[in-house]
Amino acid sequence: MSVAFNASILRAPRTGIGQYLVELVRALATDPEFEPWLFNGWNWQAQLPAAALPGYSRLSALVKRGVPNAYALRRLVEQRRFSRKAACADLYHEPSLWPFEFDGPMVMTLHDLTHVRFPQTQPADRLAAIERHAARGVERAQRILVDSQFIADEVCAHYGVPAERIVVAPLGCAARFHPRAPEQLAARLAALGLQAGRYLLCVGTLEPRKNLQLALRAYERLPAALRERYPLVLAGMPGWRAEQLAEPLQRALASQQVRLLGYQDDNALAELFAGARLLLFPSLYEGFGLPVLEAMASGTPVILSRGSALSEVAGEAGLYIDPQNEVVCAAAIQLLVEDQARWLALREAGLTQAQAYSWQRCAQITAGVYREAVKA
Protein backbone atom coordinates (compact mmCIF):
# COMPACT_ATOMS: atom_id res chain seq x y z
CA MET A 1 0.00 0.00 0.00
CA SER A 2 1.50 3.34 -1.05
CA VAL A 3 0.94 6.02 1.59
CA ALA A 4 1.45 9.68 0.69
CA PHE A 5 2.61 11.80 3.64
CA ASN A 6 2.68 15.57 3.84
CA ALA A 7 6.24 15.82 5.18
CA SER A 8 6.70 19.54 4.57
CA ILE A 9 6.95 20.10 8.33
CA LEU A 10 10.37 18.40 8.19
CA ARG A 11 11.82 21.43 6.40
CA ALA A 12 11.91 23.14 9.82
CA PRO A 13 13.80 21.94 12.93
CA ARG A 14 11.94 18.97 14.39
CA THR A 15 9.63 19.61 17.29
CA GLY A 16 6.72 17.42 18.39
CA ILE A 17 4.85 16.83 15.12
CA GLY A 18 8.08 16.49 13.17
CA GLN A 19 9.32 13.85 15.60
CA TYR A 20 5.99 12.05 15.33
CA LEU A 21 6.24 11.87 11.54
CA VAL A 22 9.87 10.72 11.55
CA GLU A 23 9.35 7.97 14.12
CA LEU A 24 6.08 6.78 12.57
CA VAL A 25 7.59 6.49 9.09
CA ARG A 26 10.61 4.66 10.49
CA ALA A 27 8.39 2.17 12.31
CA LEU A 28 6.12 1.66 9.30
CA ALA A 29 9.17 1.02 7.11
CA THR A 30 9.69 -2.29 8.91
CA ASP A 31 6.38 -3.54 7.45
CA PRO A 32 6.73 -4.49 3.74
CA GLU A 33 3.00 -3.90 3.25
CA PHE A 34 3.51 -0.13 3.29
CA GLU A 35 5.47 2.14 0.97
CA PRO A 36 5.81 5.69 2.32
CA TRP A 37 5.89 8.57 -0.17
CA LEU A 38 7.10 11.81 1.40
CA PHE A 39 6.14 15.20 -0.01
CA ASN A 40 8.60 17.82 1.24
CA GLY A 41 6.62 20.85 0.06
CA TRP A 42 8.28 20.89 -3.36
CA ASN A 43 9.29 17.38 -4.43
CA TRP A 44 8.65 13.76 -3.50
CA GLN A 45 11.22 11.51 -1.85
CA ALA A 46 11.36 7.95 -0.52
CA GLN A 47 13.72 8.61 2.41
CA LEU A 48 13.37 10.81 5.45
CA PRO A 49 15.57 13.92 5.34
CA ALA A 50 18.61 13.74 7.60
CA ALA A 51 18.03 17.22 8.98
CA ALA A 52 16.01 20.39 8.58
CA LEU A 53 16.50 22.59 5.54
CA PRO A 54 19.33 25.02 6.46
CA GLY A 55 18.01 28.49 7.17
CA TYR A 56 14.39 27.48 6.54
CA SER A 57 12.88 28.95 9.70
CA ARG A 58 14.51 32.34 9.13
CA LEU A 59 13.60 32.42 5.43
CA SER A 60 10.02 31.38 6.16
CA ALA A 61 9.63 34.16 8.72
CA LEU A 62 10.94 36.75 6.23
CA VAL A 63 8.53 35.57 3.53
CA LYS A 64 5.55 35.72 5.90
CA ARG A 65 6.41 39.29 6.87
CA GLY A 66 7.23 40.52 3.40
CA VAL A 67 4.81 38.74 1.05
CA PRO A 68 1.07 39.55 1.16
CA ASN A 69 -1.12 36.44 1.52
CA ALA A 70 2.00 34.31 1.98
CA TYR A 71 0.11 31.33 3.45
CA ALA A 72 -2.40 31.20 0.60
CA LEU A 73 0.21 31.61 -2.14
CA ARG A 74 2.49 28.94 -0.73
CA ARG A 75 -0.46 26.63 -0.32
CA LEU A 76 -1.51 27.05 -3.93
CA VAL A 77 1.95 26.13 -5.23
CA GLU A 78 2.32 23.20 -2.85
CA GLN A 79 -1.11 21.79 -3.70
CA ARG A 80 -0.27 21.67 -7.40
CA ARG A 81 3.03 19.90 -6.84
CA PHE A 82 1.48 17.53 -4.29
CA SER A 83 -1.31 16.46 -6.63
CA ARG A 84 1.03 15.43 -9.45
CA LYS A 85 2.05 12.21 -7.71
CA ALA A 86 -0.39 11.89 -4.81
CA ALA A 87 -3.16 10.95 -7.24
CA CYS A 88 -1.40 7.59 -7.69
CA ALA A 89 -1.18 6.81 -3.96
CA ASP A 90 -3.49 4.32 -2.28
CA LEU A 91 -3.87 6.54 0.80
CA TYR A 92 -2.98 10.01 2.03
CA HIS A 93 -1.92 10.59 5.66
CA GLU A 94 -1.87 14.19 6.88
CA PRO A 95 0.14 14.36 10.14
CA SER A 96 -0.89 17.91 11.02
CA LEU A 97 -3.66 20.49 10.56
CA TRP A 98 -3.03 21.40 6.91
CA PRO A 99 -4.35 18.62 4.65
CA PHE A 100 -4.08 18.96 0.90
CA GLU A 101 -6.97 18.21 -1.43
CA PHE A 102 -6.99 14.50 -2.26
CA ASP A 103 -9.64 12.42 -4.01
CA GLY A 104 -8.83 9.07 -2.41
CA PRO A 105 -9.01 7.75 1.17
CA MET A 106 -7.41 10.03 3.74
CA VAL A 107 -6.26 9.70 7.35
CA MET A 108 -5.57 12.78 9.43
CA THR A 109 -3.77 13.10 12.78
CA LEU A 110 -5.01 15.74 15.21
CA HIS A 111 -2.41 16.07 17.95
CA ASP A 112 -4.31 18.76 19.85
CA LEU A 113 -6.85 21.56 19.46
CA THR A 114 -4.58 24.42 20.48
CA HIS A 115 -6.07 26.54 17.71
CA VAL A 116 -9.46 26.11 19.38
CA ARG A 117 -8.54 26.20 23.05
CA PHE A 118 -5.82 28.87 22.83
CA PRO A 119 -6.43 30.84 19.62
CA GLN A 120 -4.46 33.76 21.08
CA THR A 121 -1.28 31.68 20.69
CA GLN A 122 -1.45 31.87 16.88
CA PRO A 123 -0.96 34.77 14.45
CA ALA A 124 -4.35 35.85 13.06
CA ASP A 125 -3.64 34.89 9.44
CA ARG A 126 -2.23 31.51 10.43
CA LEU A 127 -5.20 30.84 12.72
CA ALA A 128 -7.66 31.57 9.91
CA ALA A 129 -5.80 29.15 7.62
CA ILE A 130 -5.66 26.46 10.30
CA GLU A 131 -9.38 26.71 11.04
CA ARG A 132 -10.27 26.47 7.37
CA HIS A 133 -7.99 23.55 6.49
CA ALA A 134 -8.48 21.61 9.71
CA ALA A 135 -12.26 21.70 9.53
CA ARG A 136 -12.17 20.62 5.89
CA GLY A 137 -9.76 17.79 6.71
CA VAL A 138 -11.87 16.52 9.60
CA GLU A 139 -14.90 16.47 7.31
CA ARG A 140 -13.09 14.52 4.56
CA ALA A 141 -10.96 12.05 6.53
CA GLN A 142 -12.13 8.46 6.69
CA ARG A 143 -10.34 8.08 10.03
CA ILE A 144 -8.86 10.59 12.48
CA LEU A 145 -5.87 9.58 14.60
CA VAL A 146 -5.27 11.25 17.97
CA ASP A 147 -2.50 10.87 20.55
CA SER A 148 -4.71 10.54 23.62
CA GLN A 149 -8.25 9.86 24.78
CA PHE A 150 -8.35 13.44 26.03
CA ILE A 151 -7.99 14.75 22.47
CA ALA A 152 -10.42 12.13 21.14
CA ASP A 153 -13.06 13.55 23.47
CA GLU A 154 -12.22 17.12 22.43
CA VAL A 155 -12.47 16.29 18.72
CA CYS A 156 -15.85 14.62 19.26
CA ALA A 157 -17.15 17.60 21.21
CA HIS A 158 -15.81 20.37 18.97
CA TYR A 159 -16.24 18.91 15.50
CA GLY A 160 -19.15 16.58 16.20
CA VAL A 161 -17.19 13.62 14.79
CA PRO A 162 -18.65 10.18 15.54
CA ALA A 163 -16.45 8.28 18.00
CA GLU A 164 -16.05 5.37 15.56
CA ARG A 165 -14.08 7.60 13.15
CA ILE A 166 -11.51 8.48 15.83
CA VAL A 167 -8.69 6.15 16.88
CA VAL A 168 -6.26 6.75 19.76
CA ALA A 169 -2.68 5.88 18.79
CA PRO A 170 -0.45 6.93 21.73
CA LEU A 171 2.99 8.21 20.80
CA GLY A 172 6.17 6.30 21.54
CA CYS A 173 9.64 6.95 22.83
CA ALA A 174 12.79 6.57 20.74
CA ALA A 175 15.53 4.23 21.95
CA ARG A 176 17.93 7.14 22.49
CA PHE A 177 15.96 8.13 25.60
CA HIS A 178 17.31 5.91 28.38
CA PRO A 179 19.19 6.28 31.67
CA ARG A 180 22.91 7.04 31.36
CA ALA A 181 25.80 7.03 33.79
CA PRO A 182 27.34 10.43 34.63
CA GLU A 183 30.56 9.58 32.82
CA GLN A 184 28.58 8.99 29.61
CA LEU A 185 27.26 12.54 29.84
CA ALA A 186 30.40 14.31 31.00
CA ALA A 187 31.63 15.59 27.64
CA ARG A 188 28.31 17.02 26.46
CA LEU A 189 27.42 18.59 29.80
CA ALA A 190 30.88 20.00 30.43
CA ALA A 191 30.67 21.86 27.12
CA LEU A 192 27.48 23.49 28.44
CA GLY A 193 28.90 24.20 31.88
CA LEU A 194 26.62 21.61 33.50
CA GLN A 195 27.03 18.54 35.71
CA ALA A 196 24.95 15.37 35.67
CA GLY A 197 22.19 15.49 38.27
CA ARG A 198 22.89 19.15 39.06
CA TYR A 199 20.47 21.11 36.89
CA LEU A 200 16.73 21.50 36.38
CA LEU A 201 15.38 21.18 32.85
CA CYS A 202 12.52 22.77 30.89
CA VAL A 203 11.95 21.57 27.31
CA GLY A 204 9.61 23.09 24.76
CA THR A 205 9.03 25.86 22.28
CA LEU A 206 9.24 29.27 23.94
CA GLU A 207 5.60 30.30 23.69
CA PRO A 208 2.84 31.27 26.16
CA ARG A 209 1.11 27.87 26.14
CA LYS A 210 4.20 26.20 27.61
CA ASN A 211 3.82 28.42 30.72
CA LEU A 212 7.52 29.09 31.15
CA GLN A 213 6.75 32.30 33.01
CA LEU A 214 5.47 30.15 35.88
CA ALA A 215 8.67 28.09 35.76
CA LEU A 216 10.77 31.25 36.01
CA ARG A 217 8.72 32.70 38.86
CA ALA A 218 8.81 29.41 40.77
CA TYR A 219 12.56 29.14 40.29
CA GLU A 220 13.04 32.66 41.69
CA ARG A 221 11.27 31.54 44.87
CA LEU A 222 13.76 28.78 45.58
CA PRO A 223 16.41 29.35 48.27
CA ALA A 224 19.49 31.09 46.88
CA ALA A 225 21.76 28.20 47.87
CA LEU A 226 19.62 25.75 45.93
CA ARG A 227 19.66 27.96 42.83
CA GLU A 228 23.44 28.20 43.06
CA ARG A 229 23.72 24.42 43.00
CA TYR A 230 20.93 23.74 40.46
CA PRO A 231 20.70 26.11 37.48
CA LEU A 232 17.49 26.11 35.43
CA VAL A 233 18.13 25.08 31.82
CA LEU A 234 15.66 26.00 29.05
CA ALA A 235 15.92 24.01 25.81
CA GLY A 236 13.68 25.05 22.92
CA MET A 237 13.34 27.31 19.93
CA PRO A 238 11.45 30.64 19.99
CA GLY A 239 7.76 30.36 19.13
CA TRP A 240 4.81 32.63 18.53
CA ARG A 241 4.64 35.54 21.00
CA ALA A 242 7.94 34.56 22.60
CA GLU A 243 8.38 38.27 23.28
CA GLN A 244 6.00 37.85 26.24
CA LEU A 245 8.85 36.01 27.93
CA ALA A 246 11.42 38.68 27.13
CA GLU A 247 11.44 40.67 30.37
CA PRO A 248 11.26 37.81 32.91
CA LEU A 249 13.66 35.75 30.81
CA GLN A 250 16.23 38.53 30.50
CA ARG A 251 16.04 39.11 34.25
CA ALA A 252 16.54 35.41 34.90
CA LEU A 253 19.42 35.14 32.44
CA ALA A 254 21.14 38.10 34.09
CA SER A 255 21.29 36.10 37.32
CA GLN A 256 23.43 33.50 35.48
CA GLN A 257 21.38 30.83 37.25
CA VAL A 258 19.11 30.35 34.22
CA ARG A 259 20.61 29.05 30.96
CA LEU A 260 18.92 29.40 27.57
CA LEU A 261 20.27 26.71 25.25
CA GLY A 262 17.95 27.18 22.27
CA TYR A 263 17.01 24.33 19.97
CA GLN A 264 18.83 21.05 20.65
CA ASP A 265 19.23 18.20 18.18
CA ASP A 266 18.04 14.66 18.94
CA ASN A 267 21.20 13.32 20.57
CA ALA A 268 21.89 16.46 22.60
CA LEU A 269 18.34 16.49 23.92
CA ALA A 270 18.51 12.83 24.93
CA GLU A 271 21.64 13.50 26.97
CA LEU A 272 20.11 16.60 28.55
CA PHE A 273 17.11 14.55 29.67
CA ALA A 274 19.30 11.83 31.16
CA GLY A 275 21.48 14.29 33.07
CA ALA A 276 18.77 16.46 34.62
CA ARG A 277 17.69 16.24 38.24
CA LEU A 278 14.12 16.74 37.05
CA LEU A 279 12.01 17.93 34.15
CA LEU A 280 9.73 20.88 34.89
CA PHE A 281 6.79 20.83 32.46
CA PRO A 282 4.08 23.28 33.57
CA SER A 283 2.33 23.47 30.20
CA LEU A 284 -1.22 24.81 30.18
CA TYR A 285 -2.41 22.44 27.47
CA GLU A 286 -1.03 19.33 25.73
CA GLY A 287 -2.49 16.68 23.47
CA PHE A 288 0.14 14.24 24.71
CA GLY A 289 3.33 15.80 26.09
CA LEU A 290 6.18 13.90 24.44
CA PRO A 291 8.92 15.45 26.65
CA VAL A 292 7.20 13.96 29.69
CA LEU A 293 7.47 10.46 28.24
CA GLU A 294 11.05 11.03 27.08
CA ALA A 295 12.11 12.25 30.52
CA MET A 296 10.53 9.27 32.29
CA ALA A 297 12.23 6.86 29.88
CA SER A 298 15.52 8.63 30.67
CA GLY A 299 15.10 8.01 34.41
CA THR A 300 14.32 11.66 35.14
CA PRO A 301 11.34 12.50 37.41
CA VAL A 302 8.79 14.97 36.08
CA ILE A 303 6.92 17.87 37.68
CA LEU A 304 3.95 18.58 35.44
CA SER A 305 0.62 20.32 35.21
CA ARG A 306 -2.54 18.56 36.22
CA GLY A 307 -4.96 18.51 33.32
CA SER A 308 -5.19 18.07 29.53
CA ALA A 309 -3.54 14.83 28.37
CA LEU A 310 -0.53 14.96 30.70
CA SER A 311 -2.00 12.87 33.50
CA GLU A 312 -3.03 10.28 30.89
CA VAL A 313 0.61 9.94 29.83
CA ALA A 314 2.39 10.14 33.19
CA GLY A 315 -0.17 8.30 35.31
CA GLU A 316 0.99 7.90 38.89
CA ALA A 317 4.62 8.57 37.90
CA GLY A 318 4.37 12.36 37.83
CA LEU A 319 4.46 15.00 40.55
CA TYR A 320 1.47 17.19 39.69
CA ILE A 321 1.07 20.92 40.28
CA ASP A 322 -1.48 23.65 39.66
CA PRO A 323 -0.04 25.42 36.56
CA GLN A 324 -1.16 28.77 37.98
CA ASN A 325 0.48 28.39 41.41
CA GLU A 326 4.17 29.29 41.51
CA VAL A 327 4.39 28.64 45.26
CA VAL A 328 3.26 25.04 44.84
CA CYS A 329 5.61 24.64 41.86
CA ALA A 330 8.59 25.93 43.86
CA ALA A 331 7.74 23.55 46.71
CA ALA A 332 7.61 20.61 44.28
CA ILE A 333 11.04 21.49 42.87
CA GLN A 334 12.55 21.77 46.33
CA LEU A 335 11.00 18.43 47.33
CA LEU A 336 12.57 16.55 44.42
CA VAL A 337 15.94 18.21 44.93
CA GLU A 338 16.13 17.53 48.67
CA ASP A 339 14.14 14.29 49.19
CA GLN A 340 16.22 11.51 47.62
CA ALA A 341 13.73 8.79 48.57
CA ARG A 342 10.88 10.57 46.78
CA TRP A 343 13.14 11.26 43.82
CA LEU A 344 14.07 7.57 43.52
CA ALA A 345 10.45 6.46 43.84
CA LEU A 346 9.34 8.75 41.02
CA ARG A 347 12.30 7.73 38.89
CA GLU A 348 11.36 4.04 39.15
CA ALA A 349 7.68 4.77 38.58
CA GLY A 350 8.54 6.80 35.48
CA LEU A 351 10.74 4.08 34.01
CA THR A 352 7.91 1.58 34.47
CA GLN A 353 5.29 3.94 33.03
CA ALA A 354 7.40 4.66 29.94
CA GLN A 355 7.59 0.97 29.05
CA ALA A 356 3.92 1.05 28.05
CA TYR A 357 4.69 3.32 25.08
CA SER A 358 6.53 2.51 21.85
CA TRP A 359 6.62 3.80 18.30
CA GLN A 360 6.12 0.24 17.08
CA ARG A 361 2.78 0.09 18.89
CA CYS A 362 1.84 3.50 17.48
CA ALA A 363 2.70 2.25 13.97
CA GLN A 364 0.72 -0.99 14.40
CA ILE A 365 -2.40 0.93 15.41
CA THR A 366 -1.85 3.37 12.54
CA ALA A 367 -1.44 0.53 10.05
CA GLY A 368 -4.77 -0.88 11.15
CA VAL A 369 -6.35 2.51 10.60
CA TYR A 370 -4.91 2.64 7.06
CA ARG A 371 -6.53 -0.70 6.23
CA GLU A 372 -9.88 0.48 7.62
CA ALA A 373 -9.69 3.77 5.70
CA VAL A 374 -9.01 2.08 2.38
CA LYS A 375 -12.02 -0.20 2.87
CA ALA A 376 -14.34 2.57 4.11
Side-chain angles (χ1 to χ4, degrees):
M1 181 190 301
S2 55
V3 182
F5 288 91
N6 177 9
S8 56
I9 194 170
L10 299 183
R11 293 176 296 193
R14 294 172 192 170
T15 53
I17 298 176
Q19 292 293 358
Y20 162 78
L21 178 57
V22 167
E23 297 297 344
L24 176 63
V25 170
R26 283 175 178 165
L28 285 170
T30 64
D31 188 337
E33 179 183 353
F34 300 101
E35 180 185 2
W37 296 357
L38 306 175
F39 178 67
N40 65 13
W42 188 252
N43 292 314
W44 290 87
Q45 56 193 81
Q47 302 297 322
L48 288 163
L53 195 64
Y56 174 78
S57 295
R58 183 173 178 273
L59 177 62
S60 179
L62 290 173
V63 171
K64 289 172 189 175
R65 287 199 299 266
V67 179
N69 300 315
Y71 283 113
L73 289 173
R74 186 180 73 181
R75 191 69 182 181
L76 180 63
V77 173
E78 290 181 345
Q79 176 68 64
R80 289 178 177 174
R81 299 191 70 86
F82 173 83
S83 297
R84 290 178 185 176
K85 182 172 180 177
C88 300
D90 296 313
L91 177 83
Y92 165 38
H93 184 171
E94 172 56 52
S96 186
L97 296 166
W98 305 73
F100 291 109
E101 294 296 323
F102 181 73
D103 291 335
M106 185 183 95
V107 169
M108 182 177 180
T109 300
L110 285 176
H111 298 280
D112 58 55
L113 296 189
T114 301
H115 63 289
V116 174
R117 294 285 300 276
F118 293 89
Q120 70 275 17
T121 65
Q122 301 287 345
D125 55 344
R126 188 172 192 270
L127 179 63
I130 287 174
E131 290 176 336
R132 182 172 62 256
H133 289 292
R136 173 73 175 137
V138 168
E139 179 184 339
R140 289 166 44 219
Q142 275 71 28
R143 294 290 184 273
I144 297 169
L145 286 161
V146 293
D147 303 340
S148 61
Q149 186 59 49
F150 171 80
I151 294 301
D153 295 341
E154 286 208 329
V155 172
C156 280
H158 180 73
Y159 289 108
V161 178
E164 58 267 23
R165 284 179 58 208
I166 303 173
V167 178
V168 179
L171 307 186
C173 192
R176 63 182 175 274
F177 296 101
H178 59 82
R180 304 173 192 238
E183 55 269 22
Q184 295 176 297
L185 303 169
R188 174 88 65 183
L189 297 183
L192 298 172
L194 301 171
Q195 297 179 38
R198 291 288 297 274
Y199 60 92
L200 317 177
L201 181 64
C202 283
V203 171
T205 304
L206 305 183
E207 62 182 10
R209 178 171 61 96
K210 297 301 182 180
N211 203 21
L212 293 178
Q213 289 195 22
L214 176 98
L216 294 171
R217 293 197 304 268
Y219 184 73
E220 287 180 341
R221 285 183 170 272
L222 296 173
L226 190 151
R227 283 185 277 118
E228 286 291 335
R229 288 185 289 126
Y230 291 88
L232 176 63
V233 174
L234 309 179
M237 61 192 299
W240 168 243
R241 305 193 79 174
E243 71 277 1
Q244 290 187 0
L245 276 170
E247 184 177 341
L249 185 55
Q250 291 303 320
R251 187 171 64 249
L253 293 173
S255 73
Q256 298 187 341
Q257 294 168 344
V258 175
R259 317 278 180 85
L260 183 59
L261 300 186
Y263 178 80
Q264 298 292 300
D265 65 28
D266 293 347
N267 292 327
L269 191 58
E271 294 190 27
L272 281 170
F273 272 124
R277 177 68 179 184
L278 58 87
L279 174 71
L280 179 56
F281 199 77
S283 181
L284 296 172
Y285 176 80
E286 295 290 332
F288 188 84
L290 197 53
V292 169
L293 176 58
E294 293 166 345
M296 292 192 302
S298 302
T300 299
V302 181
I303 297 172
L304 70 167
S305 303
R306 190 180 302 280
S308 66
L310 292 175
S311 55
E312 193 175 326
V313 174
E316 298 300 315
L319 181 57
Y320 293 95
I321 60 166
D322 176 350
Q324 306 293 345
N325 193 324
E326 63 200 69
V327 176
V328 170
C329 183
I333 295 171
Q334 192 164 354
L335 174 67
L336 286 191
V337 168
E338 297 177 346
D339 189 335
Q340 184 68 7
R342 186 66 181 278
W343 185 89
L344 286 170
L346 283 177
R347 169 187 165 89
E348 292 306 315
L351 288 168
T352 300
Q353 180 75 3
Q355 291 175 4
Y357 298 88
S358 73
W359 285 114
Q360 199 58 48
R361 176 176 174 239
C362 180
Q364 288 171 352
I365 296 172
T366 302
V369 168
Y370 291 168
R371 298 184 188 103
E372 291 176 2
V374 169
K375 294 176 183 177

